[in-house]
Amino acid sequence: MGKERISNGTDTMPPNGYIRRQASRQVSAELFDISCKVMLIGDSGVGKTCILVRFKDGAFLSGSFISTVGIDFRNKVVDVDGTKVKLQIWDTAGQERFRSVTHAYYRDAHALLLLYDVTNKASFDNIRAWLGEINEYAQEDVVIMLLGNKSDMGGERVIRIEDGERLAKEYGVAFMETSAKLGTNVDLAFMAVARDLKMKKTRKPTDPKFNVADYVNQEKKTGGCCSS
Ligand SMILES: Nc1nc2c(ncn2[C@@H]2O[C@H](COP(=O)(O)OP(=O)(O)OP(=O)(O)O)[C@@H](O)[C@H]2O)c(=O)[nH]1
């Protein structure tokens, strides 16, 4: 499984299996203290693969759209206040025909990054259905982060930031707009997940509970660790 070409493009496109080969090459000599599984989900074309590549490689996959086939993953180890957290990031296919494959992976996910495209109303309208699937297949305490991607495409935007905020509030999940193209808030989304895991593993009963949505809002306000 990997990426398949669904439109004619240029030589700038990565070859099929790009993500999978990259993943297997880095079977990790990197040391880590704790690890977790993060899944990227959402409609086809919202930018899941681009978000992953931006976070992992600091690059943007431009050129023609190549749709993910099935599921793929890559690892990245990040430092949260001296604790090495390995994020195993699963990039799923948004296309309907792969849904039954991806559902099977929800169960042991620590966090789900649920994406829509701010220039695509259908992808936003489908978020409720995605949340229904999460409810059905994921663990009860899974961290959910709603990401309105392609925030760089101002002129073509059809979903306002307030719409995303309202929906996230209704479901009690963290929210931010991102741009895989510019890198906006991409690190913040993954670092918030890593921090949540670290807090869950190291928290003493007397410590206050860590709330990922509050953390994200605070970081957004202050410019925080990693927004750009
Ligand atoms: N302008 C802009 N384009 C983006 C951004 N993120 C992704 N794209 C473009 O959107 C298209 C789809 O991106 P992908 O990352 O392949 O989408 P996906 O969600 O992985 O799609 P599936 O694999 O079919 O589920 C590509 O042409 C990307 O270049 C972004 O932040 N800004």
Side-chain angles (χ1 to χ4, degrees), residues 25-101:
R25 229 181 269 142
Q26 44 172 312
V27 175
S28 171
E30 272 188 284
L31 297 174
F32 59 91
D33 302 307
I34 47 180
S35 76
C36 71
K37 177 173 156 186
V38 183
M39 283 181 74
L40 292 159
I41 58 174
D43 280 8
S44 180
V46 295
K48 298 179 294 296
T49 301
C50 287
I51 287 281
L52 170 55
V53 172
R54 165 61 67 189
F55 177 62
K56 173 70 187 159
D57 299 333
F60 178 59
L61 283 180
S62 56
S64 295
F65 170 30
I66 307 167
S67 205
T68 301
V69 178
I71 192 156
D72 255 316
F73 80 93
R74 298 181 76 181
N75 293 328
K76 182 162 175 169
V77 177
V78 296
D79 189 296
V80 181
D81 301 337
T83 301
K84 301 261 182 241
V85 180
K86 183 172 95 172
L87 300 173
Q88 189 182 73
I89 308 158
W90 292 78
D91 176 24
T92 65
Q95 290 177 60
E96 188 77 41
R97 65 192 166 115
F98 296 114
R99 252 357 116 68
S100 56
V101 179

Side-chain angles (χ1 to χ4, degrees), residues 7 46 63 66 109 114 134 151 158 161 177 188 193 198 217 225:
S7 63
V46 295
I66 307 167
L114 172 56
I134 292 171
S151 63
V158 292
I161 193 164
E177 287 198 343
L188 173 57
V193 165
K198 188 211 156 170
N217 288 336
C225 68

Side-chain angles (χ1 to χ4, degrees), residues 33-36 78-87 110 141 143 190-216 219:
D33 302 307
I34 47 180
S35 76
C36 71
V78 296
D79 189 296
V80 181
D81 301 337
T83 301
K84 301 261 182 241
V85 180
K86 183 172 95 172
L87 300 173
H110 168 76
D141 65 344
V143 173
F190 287 99
M191 290 305 288
V193 165
R195 184 167 290 273
D196 179 82
L197 181 77
K198 188 211 156 170
M199 298 309 237
K200 276 187 180 137
K201 299 263 174 177
T202 59
R203 185 173 160 264
K204 296 185 194 79
T206 48
D207 290 345
K209 224 174 170 186
F210 178 73
N211 181 302
V212 75
D214 291 345
Y215 171 77
V216 163
E219 290 294 309

